[in-house]
């Protein structure tokens, strides 16, 4: 039986601090922006004010391709709170083309389309018009 995992998941308002503002400004514009370390010249995830590899605070924010592939995933069938109303849903790990592995919900997809290695695209969902959107992933379709 094919299961459908739609968009429209609950989207808690994120906490935004000055160190992650470039990421959230990109998200508001529908662009996935990654922090790159100016010292070791690699991107990292999650957004923060220093490189987790070397500790450098010399960061550069660059728009990512928005493409990646499913690294791993699970279908969540039991949850509490607002999430109980949208079961089942998919929590995934997506390896971006740029390298970092990002946790996020995989939406707008069917169980038939879900597999490790499956290409996905970054997208953003809003909880409310005045709140910044949250990163999700959806399938690549021709
Ligand atoms: Zn670094």
């Amino acid at each position: 039986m094919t299961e459908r995992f739609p968009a429209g998941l609950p989207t808690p308002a994120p906490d935004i601090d000055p160190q992650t503002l470039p990421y959230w400004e990109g998200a508001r514009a529908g662009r996935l922006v990654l922090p790159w370390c100016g010292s070791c010249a690699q991107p990292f995830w999650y957004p923060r004010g220093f490189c987790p590899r070397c500790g450098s605070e010399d960061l550069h924010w660059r728009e990512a391709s928005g493409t990646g592939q499913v690294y791993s995933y699970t279908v969540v069938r039991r949850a509490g709170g607002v999430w109980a109303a949208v079961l089942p849903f998919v929590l995934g790990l997506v390896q971006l083309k740029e390298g970092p592995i990002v946790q996020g919900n995989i939406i707008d997809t069917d169980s038939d389309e879900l597999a490790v290695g499956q290409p996905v695209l970054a997208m953003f969902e809003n909880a409310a018009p005045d709140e910044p959107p949250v990163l999700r992933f959806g399938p690549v379709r021709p």
Side-chain angles (χ1 to χ4, degrees):
M1 182 185 87
T2 300
E3 289 180 288
R4 179 80 185 145
F5 307 110
L9 294 176
T11 305
D15 291 327
I16 299 174
D17 60 46
Q19 293 182 329
T20 59
L21 194 56
Y23 169 79
W24 293 109
E25 288 174 341
R28 282 186 197 276
R31 300 182 305 116
L32 175 58
V33 176
L34 296 178
W36 285 70
C37 175
S39 180
C40 56
Q42 294 182 60
F44 58 87
W45 187 261
Y46 55 89
R48 68 198 99 169
F50 62 92
C51 173
R53 291 183 196 88
C54 71
S56 172
E57 295 178 2
D58 177 23
L59 304 183
H60 306 276
W61 297 82
R62 298 182 190 158
E63 184 169 0
S65 65
T67 61
Q69 62 181 18
V70 176
Y71 181 84
S72 185
Y73 70 92
T74 188
V75 178
V76 179
R77 298 182 187 284
R78 300 180 77 178
V82 295
W83 295 94
V86 293
L87 294 171
F89 60 87
V90 179
L91 183 59
L93 292 174
V94 170
Q95 184 159 31
L96 299 176
K97 180 182 174 190
E98 291 78 9
I101 295 174
V102 176
Q103 179 180 309
N105 294 105
I106 301 172
I107 60 171
D108 189 29
T109 191
D110 294 325
S111 53
D112 294 348
E113 296 177 298
L114 205 50
V116 170
Q118 185 77 23
V120 290
L121 292 174
M123 59 181 68
F124 290 92
E125 277 198 305
N126 283 73
D130 58 335
E131 292 178 2
V134 170
L135 179 62
R136 310 263 200 242
F137 294 93
V140 176
R141 295 196 175 107

